[in-house]
């Protein structure tokens, strides 16, 4: 099944196979989609986030079992399938599921160290992590998604400023003056840059946009129609969070998470009710009900009582699996119990 899912994901991205999603009401009607250049691989039971979560569950099991099965050819086959599936995880560009994958693999090898040995587990864990990070940092969109949040390029520049001395003939840059103003200090009349517009053309109103926005969207008028000129549309503006961390994170920080916290404050014990967090009125039909944070959604919709009740299911499951893991002497069953614990922890992440 994992191999079939991976082949279909590969086909969506590289062979122009049709994709189907249930991420909103329109797509759920069975509309055939085709991935654009920057679109992410979809599952057929949700969207790219759901596919990434599914991969986190199954790849942990496959990797762990690959190191305990006795037949070498079966071990090699499982590792190849895991590698193929991992590439689909990279194509989903789901940062949270990638972190969950790292955590779940860490947990499973930590538990197997008690059944095998610390050295046995450590060698295999280091090997898996080296391949994981090498692929993530050098290929695919995952590293770009992380860079939008943790600002890798900015970190590199700051490190260079701190540890690398400036050239002896360099002019010190001042942080309180914009770069173009600093250029004017040393510029001559012959340094005027060429214009990109024909003389007499009006200057275009270029809006700054987040790193994860690849087209210039427009806010449409009430009828939903979009026209090229006139007052019916205007360029979209973005919040400070969207410009700094990307539109995906900006939506969470500016709208979705504050609404969930507001729902929790309305009734800390029971919350504000299911599917109420993104509505302005109870009867409103919204395109989606997501909060993009299940912990905040639990608190906002069901309050502390719902939060504790729901998470107790996972706590009890871990306790039962850990007891079985300690009591069994069979390596295969011990590995399965360990992966059960690991993927629950991954789901919590």
């Amino acid at each position: 099944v994992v191999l079939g899912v991976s082949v279909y994901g590969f086909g969506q991205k590289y062979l122009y196979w049709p994709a189907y999603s249930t991420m909103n009401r329109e797509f759920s009607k069975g509309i055939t989609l085709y991935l654009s250049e920057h679109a992410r691989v979809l599952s057929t039971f949700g969207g790219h986030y759901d596919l990434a979560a599914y991969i986190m569950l199954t790849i942990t099991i496959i990797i762990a079992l690959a190191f305990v099965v006795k037949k070498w050819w079966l071990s090699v086959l499982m590792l190849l399938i895991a590698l193929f599936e991992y590439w689909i995880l990279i194509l989903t560009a789901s940062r949270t599921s990638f972190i969950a994958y790292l955590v779940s693999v860490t947990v499973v090898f930590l538990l197997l160290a008690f059944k095998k040995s610390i050295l046995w587990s450590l060698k295999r864990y280091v090997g898996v992590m080296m391949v994981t990070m090498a692929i993530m940092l050098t290929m695919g969109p995952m590293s770009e998604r992380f860079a939008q949040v943790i600002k890798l390029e900015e970190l590199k520049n700051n490190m260079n400023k701190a540890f690398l001395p400036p050239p002896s003939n360099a002019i010190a840059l001042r942080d309180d003056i914009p770069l173009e103003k600093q250029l004017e200090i040393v510029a001559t009349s012959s340094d005027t840059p060429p214009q990109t517009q024909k003389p007499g053309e009006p200057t275009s109103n270029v809006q700054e946009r987040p790193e994860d926005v690849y087209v210039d969207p427009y806010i449409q008028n009430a009828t939903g129609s979009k026209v090229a000129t006139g007052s019916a549309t205007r360029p979209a503006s973005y919040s400070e969070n969207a410009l700094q961390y990307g539109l995906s994170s900006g939506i969470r920080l500016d709208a979705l998470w504050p609404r969930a916290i507001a729902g929790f404050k309305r009734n800390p014990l029971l919350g504000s009710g299911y599917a109420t967090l993104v509505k302005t009125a109870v009867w409103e039909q919204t395109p989606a009900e997501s909060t993009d944070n299940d912990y905040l959604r639990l608190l906002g919709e069901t309050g502390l009582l719902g939060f504790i009740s729901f998470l107790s299911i996972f706590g009890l499951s871990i306790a039962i699996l850990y007891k079985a893991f300690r009591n069994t002497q069979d390596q295969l069953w011990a590995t399965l119990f360990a992966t059960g614990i690991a993927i629950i922890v991954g789901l919590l992440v």
Side-chain angles (χ1 to χ4, degrees):
V1 171
V2 166
L3 182 59
V5 169
S6 301
V7 168
Y8 183 55
F10 185 90
Q12 286 182 54
K13 184 67 176 178
Y14 299 110
L15 303 177
Y16 213 60
W17 289 2
Y20 299 90
S21 174
T22 59
M23 287 190 72
N24 62 44
R25 287 187 174 89
E26 287 302 311
F27 290 169
S28 299
K29 296 174 183 178
I31 293 174
T32 302
L33 307 172
Y34 295 95
L35 300 190
S36 61
E37 179 187 358
H38 300 290
R40 290 175 260 176
V41 175
L42 301 169
S43 73
T44 55
F45 49 87
H48 52 279
Y49 293 127
D50 309 272
L51 177 59
Y54 168 81
I55 291 174
M56 185 278 296
L57 298 174
T58 52
I59 198 172
T60 305
I61 301 172
I62 293 174
I63 290 174
L65 289 179
F67 291 112
V68 299
V69 293
K70 295 179 180 179
K71 296 179 179 178
W72 69 268
W73 63 267
L74 186 56
S75 178
V76 171
L77 178 63
M78 295 176 80
L79 287 174
L80 288 174
I81 292 175
L83 190 63
F84 191 15
E85 187 181 30
Y86 175 67
W87 179 243
I88 304 302
L89 176 63
I90 294 294
L91 294 181
T92 65
S94 174
R95 293 168 292 202
T96 307
S97 292
F98 180 79
I99 295 172
Y101 154 74
L102 296 180
V103 172
S104 64
V105 169
T106 301
V107 170
V108 77
F109 278 107
L110 183 64
L111 289 170
L112 289 178
F114 291 97
K115 290 294 182 180
K116 294 280 192 178
S117 70
I118 295 177
L119 184 60
W120 180 94
S121 186
L122 184 62
K123 287 194 298 185
R124 287 155 179 79
Y125 173 72
V126 170
V128 170
M129 286 296 105
M130 287 178 64
V131 173
T132 292
M133 299 310 295
I135 295 175
M136 191 276 284
L137 292 173
T138 58
M139 296 182 288
M142 190 73 77
S143 59
E144 297 175 11
R145 292 270 291 159
F146 276 110
Q148 291 166 6
V149 175
I150 60 179
K151 300 297 180 186
L152 294 176
E153 192 66 30
E154 189 175 315
L155 176 63
K156 183 179 76 172
N157 292 336
N158 289 336
M159 293 287 285
N160 288 340
K161 280 188 203 174
F163 296 106
L164 295 180
S168 58
N169 61 343
I171 299 174
L173 295 177
R174 293 176 54 180
D175 293 333
D176 59 331
I177 301 178
L179 184 60
E180 57 270 21
K181 294 294 183 183
Q182 297 181 42
L183 290 175
E184 291 178 4
I185 298 174
V186 297
T188 65
S189 58
S190 62
D191 290 331
T192 306
Q195 293 185 356
T196 57
Q197 295 170 309
K198 296 178 181 178
E201 278 188 345
T203 303
S204 60
N205 184 19
V206 179
Q207 298 287 324
E208 187 180 3
R209 65 188 186 197
E211 294 177 4
D212 54 350
V213 176
Y214 303 102
V215 296
D216 288 315
Y218 286 83
I219 298 175
Q220 299 177 352
N221 61 12
T223 62
S225 62
K226 178 182 179 299
V227 294
T229 57
S231 59
T233 62
R234 59 185 175 85
S237 58
Y238 300 98
S239 69
E240 185 176 337
N241 283 323
L243 293 173
Q244 184 172 358
Y245 302 112
L247 184 62
S248 181
S249 298
I251 292 172
R252 294 171 172 87
L253 294 170
D254 294 326
L256 300 181
W257 295 355
R259 289 181 183 181
I261 294 170
F264 171 68
K265 289 180 177 178
R266 275 198 294 272
N267 191 332
L269 280 181
L270 297 174
S272 63
Y274 291 119
T276 58
L277 302 182
V278 298
K279 297 178 183 294
T280 56
V282 176
W283 54 85
E284 180 186 1
Q285 283 201 355
T286 54
E289 306 294 352
S290 175
T291 302
D292 277 346
N293 183 319
D294 279 336
Y295 294 102
L296 288 181
R297 184 174 181 180
L298 270 172
L299 285 171
E301 292 186 342
T302 64
L304 281 173
L305 293 179
F307 185 87
I308 294 170
S309 301
F310 187 75
L311 293 184
S312 296
I313 299 171
F314 298 99
L316 183 60
S317 300
I318 290 175
I320 293 171
L321 285 167
Y322 183 69
K323 182 179 179 181
F325 172 77
R326 289 185 58 185
N327 293 337
T328 186
Q329 299 303 317
D330 185 275
Q331 294 291 334
L332 182 64
W333 282 108
T335 304
L336 288 171
F337 293 141
T339 55
I341 295 171
I343 62 179
I344 290 175
V345 173
L347 277 176
L348 291 173
V349 171

